Amino acid sequence: MKSKKIIVIGLLSVNTGLFAQAGNVGINTATPQKMLHVNGSLQIVNELNVGGDASTTGSSGIAGQVLKSNGPGAAPTWQNLAGVPSSTGTVIAVNGQFLVAQEIIVQMTSDFTVTAGSNGGIPVAIGSLNNEIVDNENLYTGSPSTNSFKVSADGVYQVTMNGQLSTTNDSNNQPTIPVLGIWDDTISGWVARVNDVYWAGSTTGVGGGPKQTYTLITSIPMLASHTYSFRLYNTVDVTIRHLSSGTTGSGPVTQMSVKRLK
Protein backbone atom coordinates (compact mmCIF):
# COMPACT_ATOMS: atom_id res chain seq x y z
CA MET A 1 0.00 0.00 0.00
CA LYS A 2 2.84 2.39 0.84
CA SER A 3 4.47 1.81 -2.54
CA LYS A 4 1.21 2.75 -4.34
CA LYS A 5 1.09 6.09 -2.49
CA ILE A 6 4.65 6.79 -3.48
CA ILE A 7 3.81 6.14 -7.16
CA VAL A 8 0.80 8.52 -7.09
CA ILE A 9 2.81 11.25 -5.40
CA GLY A 10 5.53 10.76 -7.98
CA LEU A 11 3.08 11.14 -10.86
CA LEU A 12 1.67 14.34 -9.38
CA SER A 13 5.13 15.77 -8.97
CA VAL A 14 5.98 15.05 -12.61
CA ASN A 15 2.83 16.87 -13.87
CA THR A 16 4.00 20.31 -12.78
CA GLY A 17 1.07 22.04 -14.58
CA LEU A 18 -1.53 20.50 -12.22
CA PHE A 19 -2.52 22.47 -9.11
CA ALA A 20 -5.14 22.13 -6.38
CA GLN A 21 -6.53 24.90 -4.20
CA ALA A 22 -9.58 25.00 -1.94
CA GLY A 23 -11.11 21.95 -3.62
CA ASN A 24 -10.54 23.30 -7.13
CA VAL A 25 -8.14 21.84 -9.67
CA GLY A 26 -6.18 24.02 -12.04
CA ILE A 27 -4.15 23.20 -15.13
CA ASN A 28 -1.41 25.76 -15.73
CA THR A 29 -2.83 27.98 -12.98
CA ALA A 30 -1.99 27.93 -9.28
CA THR A 31 -5.22 29.77 -8.38
CA PRO A 32 -8.10 27.81 -9.97
CA GLN A 33 -11.38 29.72 -9.82
CA LYS A 34 -13.67 26.79 -10.58
CA MET A 35 -13.71 23.07 -9.81
CA LEU A 36 -11.69 22.63 -13.02
CA HIS A 37 -9.83 25.66 -14.36
CA VAL A 38 -7.83 25.25 -17.58
CA ASN A 39 -5.41 28.00 -18.52
CA GLY A 40 -4.81 27.04 -22.13
CA SER A 41 -6.44 25.53 -25.17
CA LEU A 42 -8.81 22.56 -25.10
CA GLN A 43 -9.09 19.87 -27.74
CA ILE A 44 -12.12 17.58 -27.93
CA VAL A 45 -11.93 14.71 -30.39
CA ASN A 46 -15.27 13.12 -29.52
CA GLU A 47 -18.64 14.21 -28.13
CA LEU A 48 -19.19 16.95 -25.58
CA ASN A 49 -21.73 16.02 -22.90
CA VAL A 50 -23.55 18.69 -20.90
CA GLY A 51 -26.03 18.38 -18.01
CA GLY A 52 -26.65 15.01 -16.40
CA ASP A 53 -25.91 14.06 -12.81
CA ALA A 54 -24.14 11.39 -10.75
CA SER A 55 -26.28 8.65 -12.29
CA THR A 56 -27.16 10.09 -15.70
CA THR A 57 -24.89 10.87 -18.63
CA GLY A 58 -25.10 14.41 -19.94
CA SER A 59 -26.50 15.12 -23.39
CA SER A 60 -24.22 15.24 -26.41
CA GLY A 61 -26.95 16.83 -28.55
CA ILE A 62 -27.61 15.99 -32.18
CA ALA A 63 -25.97 17.09 -35.40
CA GLY A 64 -26.64 20.73 -36.25
CA GLN A 65 -27.48 21.89 -32.72
CA VAL A 66 -25.67 24.76 -31.00
CA LEU A 67 -24.69 25.09 -27.32
CA LYS A 68 -26.68 27.71 -25.40
CA SER A 69 -25.71 29.17 -22.03
CA ASN A 70 -28.47 29.13 -19.44
CA GLY A 71 -26.71 31.51 -17.05
CA PRO A 72 -24.80 31.05 -13.77
CA GLY A 73 -25.43 27.84 -11.84
CA ALA A 74 -27.25 26.09 -14.70
CA ALA A 75 -25.92 23.61 -17.20
CA PRO A 76 -25.81 24.75 -20.84
CA THR A 77 -28.16 22.97 -23.24
CA TRP A 78 -28.10 21.97 -26.87
CA GLN A 79 -30.57 23.97 -28.95
CA ASN A 80 -31.87 23.56 -32.48
CA LEU A 81 -30.83 26.27 -34.92
CA ALA A 82 -34.26 26.49 -36.55
CA GLY A 83 -34.34 25.87 -40.26
CA VAL A 84 -30.70 24.83 -40.55
CA PRO A 85 -29.49 23.35 -42.77
CA SER A 86 -32.64 22.88 -44.84
CA SER A 87 -33.63 26.57 -45.10
CA THR A 88 -32.03 29.48 -46.92
CA GLY A 89 -31.96 32.76 -45.04
CA THR A 90 -30.44 34.95 -42.37
CA VAL A 91 -29.96 33.63 -38.84
CA ILE A 92 -31.45 35.97 -36.21
CA ALA A 93 -32.00 35.73 -32.45
CA VAL A 94 -35.56 36.11 -31.18
CA ASN A 95 -36.46 35.73 -27.49
CA GLY A 96 -33.16 33.98 -26.78
CA GLN A 97 -33.59 31.48 -29.62
CA PHE A 98 -31.70 31.25 -32.89
CA LEU A 99 -33.83 30.89 -36.01
CA VAL A 100 -33.63 31.42 -39.74
CA ALA A 101 -35.62 34.54 -40.54
CA GLN A 102 -38.58 34.07 -42.85
CA GLU A 103 -37.73 35.59 -46.19
CA ILE A 104 -39.59 36.03 -49.46
CA ILE A 105 -37.89 37.32 -52.61
CA VAL A 106 -39.84 37.26 -55.87
CA GLN A 107 -39.38 38.60 -59.39
CA MET A 108 -41.69 38.87 -62.37
CA THR A 109 -41.86 36.47 -65.30
CA SER A 110 -43.65 38.90 -67.63
CA ASP A 111 -45.09 42.41 -67.68
CA PHE A 112 -48.38 42.93 -65.85
CA THR A 113 -50.93 45.66 -66.61
CA VAL A 114 -53.44 47.00 -64.12
CA THR A 115 -56.49 48.40 -65.91
CA ALA A 116 -57.90 51.64 -64.52
CA GLY A 117 -61.13 51.09 -62.62
CA SER A 118 -60.65 47.32 -62.39
CA ASN A 119 -61.20 45.53 -59.09
CA GLY A 120 -63.77 48.14 -58.02
CA GLY A 121 -61.10 50.78 -57.54
CA ILE A 122 -59.21 48.66 -55.00
CA PRO A 123 -55.46 48.22 -55.61
CA VAL A 124 -54.77 45.11 -57.70
CA ALA A 125 -52.58 42.20 -56.56
CA ILE A 126 -49.71 42.07 -59.06
CA GLY A 127 -49.75 39.02 -61.32
CA SER A 128 -46.79 37.29 -62.97
CA LEU A 129 -44.81 37.91 -59.76
CA ASN A 130 -44.07 34.20 -59.63
CA ASN A 131 -40.33 33.79 -60.07
CA GLU A 132 -39.58 32.74 -56.49
CA ILE A 133 -35.94 33.41 -55.63
CA VAL A 134 -36.44 32.66 -51.92
CA ASP A 135 -39.54 31.47 -50.06
CA ASN A 136 -37.99 29.61 -47.15
CA GLU A 137 -41.26 28.86 -45.33
CA ASN A 138 -43.44 28.20 -48.39
CA LEU A 139 -45.93 30.90 -47.48
CA TYR A 140 -45.95 32.79 -50.80
CA THR A 141 -48.27 32.09 -53.73
CA GLY A 142 -47.93 33.76 -57.11
CA SER A 143 -49.73 33.23 -60.41
CA PRO A 144 -50.12 35.06 -63.75
CA SER A 145 -53.08 36.96 -62.29
CA THR A 146 -52.43 37.51 -58.56
CA ASN A 147 -50.21 36.96 -55.50
CA SER A 148 -50.55 36.58 -51.74
CA PHE A 149 -48.43 35.62 -48.76
CA LYS A 150 -48.44 35.18 -44.99
CA VAL A 151 -45.82 35.62 -42.29
CA SER A 152 -45.14 32.72 -39.93
CA ALA A 153 -44.95 34.81 -36.76
CA ASP A 154 -45.90 38.23 -35.46
CA GLY A 155 -42.89 40.51 -35.74
CA VAL A 156 -41.16 43.35 -37.54
CA TYR A 157 -40.36 42.73 -41.19
CA GLN A 158 -38.14 44.57 -43.63
CA VAL A 159 -39.84 45.42 -46.91
CA THR A 160 -37.91 46.14 -50.10
CA MET A 161 -39.83 46.78 -53.32
CA ASN A 162 -38.46 47.92 -56.65
CA GLY A 163 -40.75 48.16 -59.65
CA GLN A 164 -40.39 49.83 -63.03
CA LEU A 165 -43.69 51.38 -64.11
CA SER A 166 -45.01 52.63 -67.42
CA THR A 167 -48.23 54.62 -67.75
CA THR A 168 -49.88 57.61 -69.45
CA ASN A 169 -51.26 60.97 -68.39
CA ASP A 170 -54.95 61.25 -67.57
CA SER A 171 -57.69 62.40 -69.95
CA ASN A 172 -56.75 66.04 -69.28
CA ASN A 173 -53.10 65.28 -70.07
CA GLN A 174 -52.23 65.70 -66.40
CA PRO A 175 -49.78 63.43 -64.58
CA THR A 176 -51.10 60.59 -62.45
CA ILE A 177 -49.83 59.23 -59.12
CA PRO A 178 -49.37 55.42 -59.23
CA VAL A 179 -49.13 53.62 -55.87
CA LEU A 180 -47.02 50.50 -55.21
CA GLY A 181 -46.85 48.65 -51.90
CA ILE A 182 -48.00 45.87 -49.55
CA TRP A 183 -51.73 45.49 -48.97
CA ASP A 184 -53.24 43.81 -45.91
CA ASP A 185 -55.92 41.60 -47.45
CA THR A 186 -57.44 40.89 -44.03
CA ILE A 187 -58.26 44.52 -43.24
CA SER A 188 -58.29 45.82 -46.85
CA GLY A 189 -55.70 48.55 -46.42
CA TRP A 190 -52.13 49.51 -47.19
CA VAL A 191 -49.45 48.65 -44.61
CA ALA A 192 -46.54 49.96 -46.69
CA ARG A 193 -46.63 51.98 -49.91
CA VAL A 194 -44.83 54.47 -52.11
CA ASN A 195 -46.33 56.89 -54.61
CA ASP A 196 -45.00 59.64 -56.83
CA VAL A 197 -46.16 61.98 -59.56
CA TYR A 198 -45.64 60.30 -62.95
CA TRP A 199 -45.33 62.68 -65.88
CA ALA A 200 -45.73 60.62 -69.03
CA GLY A 201 -44.94 63.43 -71.46
CA SER A 202 -46.34 62.84 -74.92
CA THR A 203 -46.62 59.07 -74.69
CA THR A 204 -49.96 57.59 -75.74
CA GLY A 205 -49.34 53.91 -75.04
CA VAL A 206 -49.21 52.36 -71.58
CA GLY A 207 -46.24 50.17 -72.51
CA GLY A 208 -44.26 52.82 -74.34
CA GLY A 209 -42.67 56.15 -73.60
CA PRO A 210 -40.81 56.99 -70.39
CA LYS A 211 -40.33 54.52 -67.58
CA GLN A 212 -40.17 55.38 -63.89
CA THR A 213 -38.75 53.20 -61.12
CA TYR A 214 -40.55 53.13 -57.78
CA THR A 215 -38.54 51.98 -54.75
CA LEU A 216 -39.82 51.31 -51.24
CA ILE A 217 -37.50 50.37 -48.36
CA THR A 218 -39.06 50.27 -44.91
CA SER A 219 -39.75 48.08 -41.84
CA ILE A 220 -43.25 47.35 -40.55
CA PRO A 221 -45.02 45.12 -38.00
CA MET A 222 -46.85 42.19 -39.58
CA LEU A 223 -49.23 39.60 -38.14
CA ALA A 224 -49.28 35.84 -38.67
CA SER A 225 -53.09 35.87 -38.65
CA HIS A 226 -53.29 38.20 -41.65
CA THR A 227 -52.83 37.65 -45.39
CA TYR A 228 -50.86 40.17 -47.47
CA SER A 229 -50.17 40.88 -51.13
CA PHE A 230 -47.97 43.06 -53.31
CA ARG A 231 -50.30 45.52 -55.06
CA LEU A 232 -50.41 48.33 -57.60
CA TYR A 233 -52.94 51.10 -58.27
CA ASN A 234 -53.40 54.03 -60.64
CA THR A 235 -56.27 56.08 -62.02
CA VAL A 236 -55.24 55.13 -65.57
CA ASP A 237 -53.79 51.92 -66.99
CA VAL A 238 -50.33 51.17 -65.62
CA THR A 239 -47.86 48.42 -66.49
CA ILE A 240 -45.22 47.03 -64.15
CA ARG A 241 -42.32 45.62 -66.16
CA HIS A 242 -40.29 42.48 -65.58
CA LEU A 243 -37.28 43.36 -67.75
CA SER A 244 -35.26 46.45 -68.53
CA SER A 245 -33.98 46.15 -72.08
CA GLY A 246 -31.67 48.16 -74.27
CA THR A 247 -28.93 47.93 -76.86
CA THR A 248 -26.55 46.33 -74.35
CA GLY A 249 -28.98 43.59 -73.25
CA SER A 250 -31.73 43.05 -70.71
CA GLY A 251 -32.26 41.88 -67.14
CA PRO A 252 -34.89 41.64 -64.37
CA VAL A 253 -35.89 45.05 -63.02
CA THR A 254 -38.82 44.41 -60.66
CA GLN A 255 -38.28 42.60 -57.36
CA MET A 256 -40.24 42.39 -54.11
CA SER A 257 -38.94 41.09 -50.79
CA VAL A 258 -40.03 40.69 -47.17
CA LYS A 259 -37.66 39.53 -44.41
CA ARG A 260 -38.23 39.13 -40.69
CA LEU A 261 -36.03 41.31 -38.47
CA LYS A 262 -37.35 40.53 -34.98
Side-chain angles (χ1 to χ4, degrees), residues 105-109 128-134 140 142 252 256:
I105 302 176
V106 290
Q107 295 178 345
M108 303 190 72
T109 54
S128 298
L129 196 60
N130 49 5
N131 179 18
E132 297 181 10
I133 307 301
V134 176
Y140 176 84
M256 315 294 180

Side-chain angles (χ1 to χ4, degrees), residues 24-258:
N24 294 339
V25 175
I27 298 177
N28 288 334
T29 175
T31 56
Q33 302 300 306
K34 293 292 182 180
M35 186 172 294
L36 176 61
H37 183 162
V38 179
N39 179 18
S41 57
L42 176 67
Q43 178 173 327
I44 300 176
V45 296
N46 208 313
E47 64 191 49
L48 174 64
N49 299 85
V50 296
D53 53 34
S55 59
T56 305
T57 302
S59 172
S60 59
I62 61 175
Q65 289 186 317
V66 295
L67 194 60
K68 174 191 172 185
S69 171
N70 289 312
T77 53
W78 296 105
Q79 298 285 326
N80 290 325
L81 191 58
V84 175
S86 59
S87 294
T88 298
T90 303
V91 176
I92 62 175
V94 178
N95 298 323
Q97 298 288 326
F98 286 116
L99 57 85
V100 174
Q102 180 186 359
E103 189 166 3
I104 296 169
I105 302 176
V106 290
Q107 295 178 345
M108 303 190 72
T109 54
S110 63
D111 293 355
F112 183 78
T113 298
V114 174
T115 304
S118 62
N119 202 34
I122 298 174
V124 175
I126 301 168
S128 298
L129 196 60
N130 49 5
N131 179 18
E132 297 181 10
I133 307 301
V134 176
D135 178 20
N136 60 7
E137 296 198 18
N138 297 315
L139 291 176
Y140 176 84
T141 301
S143 73
S145 60
T146 189
N147 78 83
S148 67
F149 67 91
K150 296 180 73 68
V151 296
S152 60
D154 296 353
V156 176
Y157 290 77
Q158 177 179 287
V159 174
T160 304
M161 302 178 66
N162 191 81
Q164 189 179 78
L165 307 184
S166 177
T167 190
T168 62
N169 294 331
D170 64 17
S171 58
N172 296 317
N173 199 32
Q174 295 301 305
T176 57
I177 307 176
V179 186
L180 178 69
I182 290 182
W183 183 264
D184 187 328
D185 298 4
T186 304
I187 63 172
S188 296
W190 293 109
V191 292
R193 52 174 267 173
V194 60
N195 59 358
D196 200 358
V197 174
Y198 189 116
W199 176 252
S202 60
T203 182
T204 57
V206 68
K211 314 295 187 297
Q212 187 166 321
T213 299
Y214 281 54
T215 299
L216 172 65
I217 302 175
T218 189
S219 298
I220 57 172
M222 302 183 80
L223 302 173
S225 60
H226 288 204
T227 299
Y228 302 89
S229 54
F230 299 109
R231 297 206 178 202
L232 176 64
Y233 176 79
N234 198 21
T235 53
V236 299
D237 294 357
V238 57
T239 294
I240 184 165
R241 299 163 56 84
H242 84 294
L243 293 178
S244 177
S245 301
T247 57
T248 57
S250 65
V253 68
T254 294
Q255 178 170 293
M256 315 294 180
S257 70
V258 174

